[in-house]
C-alpha cells in the first residue's frame, strides 16, 4: 500500500484542499459502508487489524511514498467480512502511533486514512457486486469457501485486486504530485510499476482469509513468504538507488587520471539533466539521461592518455583512435543489463545535426534526443574547461560557439533551451590551471579536436 | 493415475486428496508456469520455486502421479522457456526432482509421519525441499570436486529464506486444498510468483553491478596493452580458488569484486599532464570508500594495499590472500602483467596471513592445476 511519508509542516494549499476532500469522501464512504453492511466482529478480524497496524513498522521507504504490507491484509478483510471489515483494517493500518511519533502533519495523516479507507471500501463493494460472498456468517463463525464458490469468487477477487491498488495509487500519486510539485504523470508512472506485485499480493490476502477461517493458528505460515519478498525487494531498492553513486564514483576515479577531463562526465550529467528538466522530459527519461551522460565517454577510457593529453595536433591514426570512442563506449554499455538501451545514445553523442559527425555520420533526424542533449552538454563542458591543446573559453564565448553551431553541429531547440534556462551558469566552471602552453593551438584546431 | 499407485514401492497408506486427471493437469500447468519463470543464477545454473508444488503434490496427487507430472513439466517447460535447458541440464533436473520425490514418498510409510495430518503436512514438504537441495548440491560437489558439506551450507545460507518460504506455501496449499480443491493453486502460485519476482529483481540488480564494474575496469585496462584482461582473469581465478576452499557464496562474491578492483588504484593513476608530471597512485580502497555496495570489499582492498591496516578480520585476510594469489598466478602465466606491476601483491599480503590459511589457499590453487608463484 502506498502512503505519503512527508513530514513537512507547511504543505502547499492545493494539497491541503485535496487532502481534506479525500479525507471527507473517505469518511463518508466508510460511514455509508458501515450502515449498509454492519461490521461482524471476530477474533480473526482482530488479528488482521493488529497485523495491519504492525505491518506499518515493516514499510519500505521510496522517495515519496512508503510501501507497507497492509495490502494483503485489507484484501483478506474483504473476503473475511466484506467492505466494512476492509475499511476498518485500512483505517488502522493508515493511522498508527508511529505517524504521531514521527510528527506527520495532520493533513498527511488525514489524507492517508481517507485514501486507503476509500480504496478498501471500493474494493469491498466491487467484490460483493461481482456476486462473491464473504466468509463471516455470524460473530466468530465462518463458512470457508468451497470449490463450488468458484469461479464467482475469483471474479470478485480479481475486480477488488485491481480496484484497491489502482484507487490507492491514483489518489496517492496525485497527493504526492501536489505536495512536492512533481508532475502527476511522473509520480503515477513510478507508482504504477508497483501495480503488478500489488495485484499478486491481493491473491495472497485471499488465501490468508481462507486459512484464517479454517485454522487461525496457520496464520504465521504467511510470515516467511511475505517477509522474504519484502526483504528482497528492500535490498533491491537500496542497491538500485546506490547504483548511480557507484558509477559516479568509479567513472570519477578513472577519469581523474587526465587532469584536464577530471569531473567531466559528472558535469555533463548535471548539464544534461538540467536541460532534460527544462525540456520537460519524464522522470524515467531523466534518469536514463543521467546514466548516459555519466557513461558517454566510457570508450575514451580506453584511449591512451598520451593521445588525450597531447598538446600538439593529433596524427590521423590518433584522431581515428579518438573517433572510435563512441562506438567502443556503446559496445561496453551494451554489455550492462538495464543500460543496453543507452548504447545508441552513447554511440551518437559525437554525431552532428548536419550529418558530418562521427562515427556513423548520421543526421539529426536519426539521433536520439538524449544524444542531441548530450552533444550540447558535452561540448559546453569541453569548451569551458582547459584542455592540453587550448585554454578554457569563457561562458559567453562558449554560448557564442553553441549559437554558431546551432542547426549544424547542435540541435537548435536544445541550444535554445540551454541558453534560455541559463544551464551551466550556476555550475562552477573549471578554471585553467595553466593554459599558457596551449593557447597557440586553439585557433588552428578544428572544433572536432576541441571536443575530444 | 489411480492404478499406478498400486506399484509396491509407491504404495502409501494415505489416499490422495485429488486423484483425478484434471487435478494432475492443473498441477502440471502450475508447475510448468513456475518452471518457465526459473531464475538464472550468476554461476550458470538456475533456481525456481516450483518445488513447493511438487512437495504438496505428493500428498494431493499421490507419489506416482506427481512424479509423472514433474517429469512432464520438466520437458514442457524446457520447450516453452525463452532460454531452453541443455539436454544434460534437463536430465539432471528431472533426476534430482524424481529422486527427491521417491525419497519423500517412502517417508510417508513411516507411521509417525502419516499418523497425524498436521505432521504429514509439515514434514513432507520440508523433507522434499531438503532432499532436493541435498541431491542437487551433492551432484554439484561430485562434478566440481568442491567440499559437499561446505557447498550445502553455503547454499542453505543463501537460499534458506527462500526454501522456508516455499515450505510455507506448500503447507498452505495442503491446508486449503481440502475445501477449495484445485482453485487453491491460484493464490499459492501467486504467492510463489511474488517471491520469485522479488528474488529475480534482487539478482538482476546485482548482475548489473557486476557487469558495470567489469566494463569499467576493462575500459581502464585497455589503455595499457599489458594489463588487458588481468582483472577479469584474476577474478575468475580467485573465484575458483575460493569455491574450491568451500567459502560461502557471500565470501566468493566479495572476493570476486576485490579481485576485479584490486588494480583500480594503478589504473586510475595519472598518465601525466603533458608536462612530465605524474600523479601518485590513488588507493583502490579510497576510490570505493563511501560506495555502499563496496562496503564489504573495501577491507580486502586495504589489506592488499599493505598500508598496515589493522582492522582486518580473519576472513578479510583470507580473502586478500586469495586475491593476491590469483593476481600473482595470472602474472606467472602472463609475463606482460608482471612487467606492468611494480611489485608482487602476494609478497605484500602473505606475511600477514597465518601459515595454515596460506596452505589452504595454495592447496586449493594446486588442486585446480595452477602453477604457484613463490610465497614468502
Amino acid at each position: 500500500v502506498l502512503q505519503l511519508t512527508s513530514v513537512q509542516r507547511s504543505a502547499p494549499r492545493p494539497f491541503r484542499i485535496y487532502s481534506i476532500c479525500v479525507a471527507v469522501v473517505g469518511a463518508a464512504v466508510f460511514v455509508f459502508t458501515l450502515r449498509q453492511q454492519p461490521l461482524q466482529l471476530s477474533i480473526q478480524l482482530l488479528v488482521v487489524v493488529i497485523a495491519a497496524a504492525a505491518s506499518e513498522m515493516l514499510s519500505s521507504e521510496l522517495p515519496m511514498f512508503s510501501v507497507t504490507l497492509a495490502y494483503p491484509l485489507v484484501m483478506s478483510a474483504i473476503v473475511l467480512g466484506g467492505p466494512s471489515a476492509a475499511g476498518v483494517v485500512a483505517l488502522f493500518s493508515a493511522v498508527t502511533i508511529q505517524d504521531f511519533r514521527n510528527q506527520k502533519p495532520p493533513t498527511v495523516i488525514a489524507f492517508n486514512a481517507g485514501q486507503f479507507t476509500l480504496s478498501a471500501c471500493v474494493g469491498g463493494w466491487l467484490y460483493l457486486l461481482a456476486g462473491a460472498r464473504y466468509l463471516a456468517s455470524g460473530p466468530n463463525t465462518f463458512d470457508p469457501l468451497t470449490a463450488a464458490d468458484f469461479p464467482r469468487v475469483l471474479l470478485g477477487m480479481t475486480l477488488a485486486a485491481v480496484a484497491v491498488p489502482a484507487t490507492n495509487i491514483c489518489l496517492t500519486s496525485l497527493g504526492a504530485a501536489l505536495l512536492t510539485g512533481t508532475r502527476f504523470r511522473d509520480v503515477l508512472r513510478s507508482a504504477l510499476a508497483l501495480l503488478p506485485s500489488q495485484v499478486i499480493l491481493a491473491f495472497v490476502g485471499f488465501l490468508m482469509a481462507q486459512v484464517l477461517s479454517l485454522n487461525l493458528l496457520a496464520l504465521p505460515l504467511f510470515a516467511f513468504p511475505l517477509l522474504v519478498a519484502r526483504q528482497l525487494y528492500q535490498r533491491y531498492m537500496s542497491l538500485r538507488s546506490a547504483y548511480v553513486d557507484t558509477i559516479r564514483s568509479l567513472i570519477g576515479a578513472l577519469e581523474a587520471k587526465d587532469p584536464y577531463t577530471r569531473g567531466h562526465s559528472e558535469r555533463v550529467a548535471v548539464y544534461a539533466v538540467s536541460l532534460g528538466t527544462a525540456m520537460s522530459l519524464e522522470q524515467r527519461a531523466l534518469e536514463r539521461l543521467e546514466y548516459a551522460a555519466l557513461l558517454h565517454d566510457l570508450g575514451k577510457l580506453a584511449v591512451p592518455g598520451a593521445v588525450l593529453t597531447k598538446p600538439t595536433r593529433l596524427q590521423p591514426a590518433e584522431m581515428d583512435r579518438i573517433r572510435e570512442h563512441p562506438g567502443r563506449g556503446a559496445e561496453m554499455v551494451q554489455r550492462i543489463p538495464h543500460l543496453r538501451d543507452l548504447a545508441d545514445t552513447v554511440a551518437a553523442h559525437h554525431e552532428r545535426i548536419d550529418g558530418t559527425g562521427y562515427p556513423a555520420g548520421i543526421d539529426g533526424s536519426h539521433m536520439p534526443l538524449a544524444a542531441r542533449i548530450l552533444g550540447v552538454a558535452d561540448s559546453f563542458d569541453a569548451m569551458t574547461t582547459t584542455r592540453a591543446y587550448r585554454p578554457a573559453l569563457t561562458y559567453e564565448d562558449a554560448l557564442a560557439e553553441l549559437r554558431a553551431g546551432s542547426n549544424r553541429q547542435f540541435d537548435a531547440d536544445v541550444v535554445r533551451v540551454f541558453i534560455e534556462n541559463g544551464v551551466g551558469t550556476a555550475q562552477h566552471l573549471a578554471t585553467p590551471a595553466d593554459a599558457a602552453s596551449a593557447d597557440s593551438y586553439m585557433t588552428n584546431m578544428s572544433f572536432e579536436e576541441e571536443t575530444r | 493415475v489411480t492404478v499406478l499407485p498400486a506399484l509396491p514401492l509407491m504404495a502409501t497408506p494415505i489416499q490422495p486428496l485429488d486423484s483425478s486427471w484434471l487435478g494432475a493437469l492443473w498441477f502440471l500447468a502450475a508447475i510448468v508456469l513456475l518452471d518457465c519463470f526459473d531464475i538464472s543464477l550468476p554461476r550458470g545454473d538456475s533456481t525456481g520455486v516450483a518445488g513447493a508444488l511438487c512437495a504438496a503434490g505428493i500428498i494431493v496427487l499421490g507419489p506416482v502421479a506427481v512424479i509423472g507430472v514433474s517429469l512432464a513439466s520438466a520437458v514442457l517447460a524446457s520447450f516453452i522457456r525463452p532460454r531452453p535447458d541443455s539436454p544434460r541440464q534437463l536430465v539432471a533436473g528431472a533426476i534430482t526432482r524424481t529422486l527427491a520425490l521417491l525419497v519423500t514418498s517412502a517417508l510417508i510409510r513411516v507411521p509417525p509421519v502419516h499418523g497425524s495430518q498436521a505432521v504429514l503436512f509439515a514434514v513432507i514438504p520440508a523433507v522434499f525441499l531438503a532432499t532436493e537441495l541435498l541431491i542437487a548440491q551433492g551432484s554439484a560437489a561430485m562434478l566440481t570436486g568442491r567440499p559437499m558439506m561446505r557447498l550445502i551450507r553455503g547454499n542453505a545460507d543463501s537460499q534458506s529464506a527462500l526454501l522456508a518460504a516455499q515450505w510455507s506455501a506448500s503447507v498452505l496449499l495442503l491446508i486449503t486444498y481440502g475445501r477449495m480443491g484445485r482453485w487453491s493453486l491460484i493464490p499459492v502460485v501467486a504467492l510463489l510468483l511474488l517471491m520469485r519476482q522479488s528474488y529475480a529483481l534482487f539478482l538482476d540488480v546485482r548482475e548489473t553491478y557486476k557487469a558495470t564494474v567489469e566494463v569499467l575496469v576493462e575500459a581502464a585496462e585497455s589503455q595499457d596493452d599489458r594489463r588487458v584482461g588481468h582483472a577479469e582473469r584474476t577474478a575468475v581465478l580467485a573465484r575458483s580458488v575460493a569455491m574450491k576452499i568451500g567459502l560461502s557464496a557471500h565470501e566468493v562474491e566479495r572476493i570476486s569484486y576485490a579481485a576485479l578492483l584490486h588494480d583500480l588504484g594503478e589504473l586510475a593513476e595519472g598518465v601525466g599532464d603533458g608536462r612530465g608530471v605524474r600523479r601518485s597512485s590513488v588507493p583502490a580502497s579510497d576510490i570505493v570508500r563511501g560506495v555502499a555496495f563496496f562496503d564489504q570489499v573495501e577491507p580486502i582492498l586495504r589489506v592488499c594495499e599493505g598500508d598496515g591496516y589493522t582492522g582486518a578480520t580473519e576472513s578479510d585476510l583470507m580473502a586478500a590472500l586469495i586475491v593476491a594469489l590469483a593476481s600473482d598466478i595470472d602474472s606467472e602465466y602472463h609475463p606482460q602483467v608482471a612487467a606492468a606491476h611494480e611489485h608482487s601483491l602476494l609478497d605484500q599480503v602473505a606475511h600477514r596471513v597465518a601459515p595454515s590459511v596460506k596452505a589452504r589457499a595454495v592447496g586449493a590453487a594446486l588442486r585446480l592445476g595452477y602453477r604457484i608463484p613463490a610465497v614468502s
Side-chain angles (χ1 to χ4, degrees):
Chain A
V1 169
L2 295 186
Q3 293 190 5
L4 290 183
T5 49
S6 170
V7 288
Q8 69 185 62
R9 305 305 302 176
S10 55
R13 192 179 152 83
F15 173 76
R16 288 206 304 271
I17 296 168
Y18 173 68
S19 66
I20 291 166
C21 291
V22 170
V24 168
V25 173
V29 171
F30 185 46
V31 170
F32 168 80
T33 303
L34 283 175
R35 293 180 70 142
Q36 291 294 311
Q37 192 247 328
L39 188 66
Q40 306 231 14
L41 289 173
S42 63
I43 295 171
Q44 279 80 349
L45 186 61
L46 188 66
V47 168
V48 174
V49 168
I50 292 169
S55 75
E56 279 298 299
M57 283 181 258
L58 300 172
S59 61
S60 305
E61 297 293 326
L62 295 180
M64 278 178 270
F65 316 114
S66 67
V67 184
T68 77
L69 282 178
Y71 184 52
L73 295 161
V74 166
M75 301 308 292
S76 169
I78 289 177
V79 181
L80 272 178
S84 53
V88 169
V89 172
L91 190 63
F92 275 92
S93 79
V95 184
T96 60
I97 298 166
Q98 219 164 344
D99 290 341
F100 296 100
R101 204 177 287 160
N102 294 343
Q103 297 187 325
K104 256 191 201 173
T107 44
V108 172
I109 295 176
F111 170 76
N112 282 335
Q115 62 87 6
F116 196 29
T117 310
L118 180 61
S119 308
C121 290
V122 166
W125 282 114
L126 281 175
Y127 176 75
L128 292 185
L129 286 172
R133 68 173 177 91
Y134 55 88
L135 311 185
S137 53
N140 280 319
T141 51
F142 292 93
D143 181 13
L145 294 167
T146 64
D149 290 311
F150 290 86
R152 221 179 16 235
V153 167
L154 204 60
L155 175 67
M157 200 60 220
T158 309
L159 282 176
V162 176
V164 178
T167 315
N168 169 238
I169 284 172
C170 288
L171 291 174
T172 313
S173 298
L174 185 55
L178 291 172
L179 189 62
T180 59
T182 320
R183 267 184 315 189
F184 173 61
R185 67 172 180 189
D186 281 352
V187 188
L188 184 65
R189 187 173 289 225
S190 65
L192 277 176
L194 298 166
L195 187 61
S197 57
Q198 303 279 326
V199 173
I200 292 178
L201 270 174
F203 288 93
V204 177
F206 165 59
L207 187 68
M208 207 180 268
Q210 179 75 351
V211 169
L212 275 168
S213 66
L214 285 168
N215 187 350
L216 186 61
L217 295 176
L219 188 66
L221 284 170
F222 286 95
F224 268 129
L226 290 178
L227 290 179
V228 165
R230 176 195 166 271
Q231 191 204 9
L232 287 169
Y233 182 72
Q234 208 157 33
R235 283 166 76 186
Y236 158 75
M237 287 305 293
S238 69
L239 281 178
R240 217 187 122 192
S241 61
Y243 182 62
V244 73
D245 292 337
T246 308
I247 298 184
R248 197 176 285 141
S249 159
L250 292 177
I251 284 279
L254 294 172
E255 228 175 38
K257 68 171 135 193
D258 174 0
Y260 294 110
T261 58
R262 200 173 303 159
H264 169 68
S265 296
E266 195 159 341
R267 287 192 301 273
V268 171
V270 172
Y271 300 146
V273 171
S274 304
L275 266 169
T277 308
M279 294 172 81
S280 302
L281 294 192
E282 288 180 357
Q283 196 57 41
R284 182 175 153 77
L286 288 176
E287 194 182 273
R288 308 308 287 170
L289 186 60
E290 186 177 14
Y291 286 140
L294 285 170
L295 295 168
H296 77 282
D297 267 350
L298 193 56
K300 213 181 248 184
L301 293 175
V303 178
V307 175
L308 291 176
T309 57
K310 189 176 178 182
T312 54
R313 185 182 288 279
L314 295 176
Q315 296 300 312
E318 292 168 333
M319 200 62 212
D320 286 347
R321 197 80 197 259
I322 296 259
R323 281 166 178 265
E324 281 170 9
H325 89 264
R328 291 193 71 168
E331 279 169 27
M332 290 172 185
V333 168
Q334 185 80 40
R335 285 171 41 201
I336 304 175
H338 284 285
L339 299 186
R340 288 193 179 114
D341 57 310
L342 303 181
D344 288 346
T345 303
V346 172
H349 79 273
H350 274 296
E351 298 291 356
R352 297 169 61 130
I353 294 296
D354 59 10
T356 59
Y358 64 87
I362 55 172
D363 63 28
S365 62
H366 293 96
M367 286 172 70
L369 175 62
R372 284 181 267 151
I373 292 174
L374 276 190
V376 173
D378 185 29
S379 297
F380 176 79
D381 187 65
M383 287 188 278
T384 51
T385 48
T386 296
R387 297 295 167 102
Y389 42 88
R390 55 140 183 80
L393 266 65
T394 62
Y395 176 70
E396 287 72 23
D397 289 345
L399 289 195
E401 287 287 353
L402 289 182
R403 271 194 212 97
S406 183
N407 252 337
R408 289 190 297 115
Q409 179 172 3
F410 307 116
D411 183 308
D413 287 338
V414 179
V415 171
R416 183 180 49 75
V417 173
F418 190 98
I419 294 168
E420 282 176 5
N421 289 275
V423 177
T425 45
Q427 311 305 324
H428 172 70
L429 301 180
T431 49
D434 181 3
S437 64
D439 55 0
S440 62
Y441 297 103
M442 195 198 147
T443 48
N444 297 323
M445 287 281 172
S446 70
F447 200 83
E448 208 163 79
E449 280 175 299
E450 280 177 47
T451 57
R452 70 177 134 126
Chain B
V1 173
T2 48
V3 172
L4 287 174
L7 289 169
L9 272 174
M10 295 282 89
T12 60
I14 57 158
Q15 280 298 309
L17 297 176
D18 186 349
S19 52
S20 68
W21 280 104
L22 207 56
L25 278 177
W26 273 64
F27 260 85
L28 178 66
I31 294 173
V32 168
L33 176 72
L34 292 176
D35 271 346
C36 284
F37 287 111
D38 263 6
I39 306 157
S40 299
L41 296 174
R43 59 185 186 221
D45 54 353
S46 62
T47 186
V49 286
L53 295 191
C54 291
I58 298 171
I59 296 168
V60 175
L61 302 175
V64 174
V66 82
I67 288 173
V69 164
S70 150
L71 290 174
S73 67
V75 176
L76 276 174
S78 77
F79 280 113
I80 299 171
R81 242 181 236 150
R83 277 183 297 182
D85 284 346
S86 67
R88 198 179 136 188
Q89 280 174 316
L90 177 65
V91 172
I95 291 176
T96 303
R97 198 171 270 178
T98 308
L99 272 177
L101 286 169
L102 283 170
V103 170
T104 314
S105 304
L107 195 74
I108 300 179
R109 296 157 76 180
V110 178
V113 175
H114 70 253
S116 137
Q117 194 187 56
V119 174
L120 187 72
F121 284 5
V123 168
I124 292 301
V127 171
F128 171 78
L129 292 165
T131 314
E132 197 181 33
L133 178 74
L134 280 174
I135 296 170
Q137 299 311 315
S139 57
M142 276 192 288
L143 285 172
T144 59
R146 277 146 47 192
M148 182 170 157
M149 283 320 291
R150 283 177 188 273
L151 205 60
I152 290 170
R153 211 173 53 201
N155 271 277
D157 278 352
S158 60
Q159 293 194 28
S160 56
L162 204 62
L163 284 171
Q166 281 191 72
W167 172 79
S168 298
S170 196
V171 178
L172 286 168
L173 178 62
L174 291 171
I175 291 173
T176 50
Y177 204 94
R179 269 189 83 92
M180 278 164 65
R182 52 198 74 114
W183 295 100
S184 59
L185 277 167
I186 294 174
V188 171
V189 167
L191 183 61
L192 291 168
L193 280 177
L194 183 76
M195 288 188 308
R196 181 258 170 220
Q197 187 57 15
S198 307
Y199 192 47
L201 278 174
F202 171 63
L203 286 181
D204 212 31
V205 75
R206 274 199 344 185
E207 195 53 25
T208 296
Y209 268 83
K210 184 166 168 277
T212 306
V213 174
E214 280 173 0
V215 160
L216 289 172
V217 170
E218 186 191 306
E221 271 183 344
S222 51
Q223 282 232 336
D224 182 346
D225 289 343
R226 298 171 304 174
R227 291 180 184 271
V228 172
H230 170 63
E232 177 86 47
R233 291 193 302 268
T234 303
V236 171
L237 258 158
R239 203 179 167 84
S240 54
V241 170
M243 291 202 300
K244 191 78 183 169
I245 292 173
L247 298 184
S248 67
H250 171 71
E251 271 304 289
V252 172
E253 189 186 32
R254 212 162 72 96
I255 289 169
S256 211
Y257 274 112
L260 274 173
L261 295 169
H262 78 282
D263 269 351
L264 192 63
E266 286 179 30
L267 295 172
E269 189 176 341
V271 289
D273 54 6
R275 288 162 293 156
V277 178
R278 193 175 170 83
R279 290 195 310 115
S280 59
S281 171
V282 187
S285 61
D286 279 3
I287 296 170
V288 301
R289 187 166 303 143
V291 181
F293 188 71
F294 296 127
D295 277 355
Q296 309 269 305
V297 179
E298 190 201 329
I300 306 176
L301 294 174
R302 291 196 66 177
V303 176
C304 287
E305 283 152 12
D307 62 350
Y309 172 55
T310 51
T313 61
E314 285 299 313
S315 62
D316 293 338
L317 291 173
M318 162 72 102
L321 180 78
I322 293 172
V323 171
L325 182 64
S327 174
D328 277 23
I329 290 175
D330 187 57
S331 301
E332 191 85 359
Y333 284 88
H334 300 89
Q336 75 277 14
V337 174
H341 283 126
E342 285 169 11
H343 47 73
S344 153
L345 195 56
L346 196 53
D347 274 348
Q348 208 158 289
V349 173
H351 70 277
R352 295 195 58 184
V353 183
S356 60
V357 174
K358 272 188 264 191
R360 277 177 73 190
V362 171
L366 281 171
R367 284 199 301 280
L368 286 165
Y370 292 118
R371 203 163 60 225
I372 305 295
V375 184
S376 65

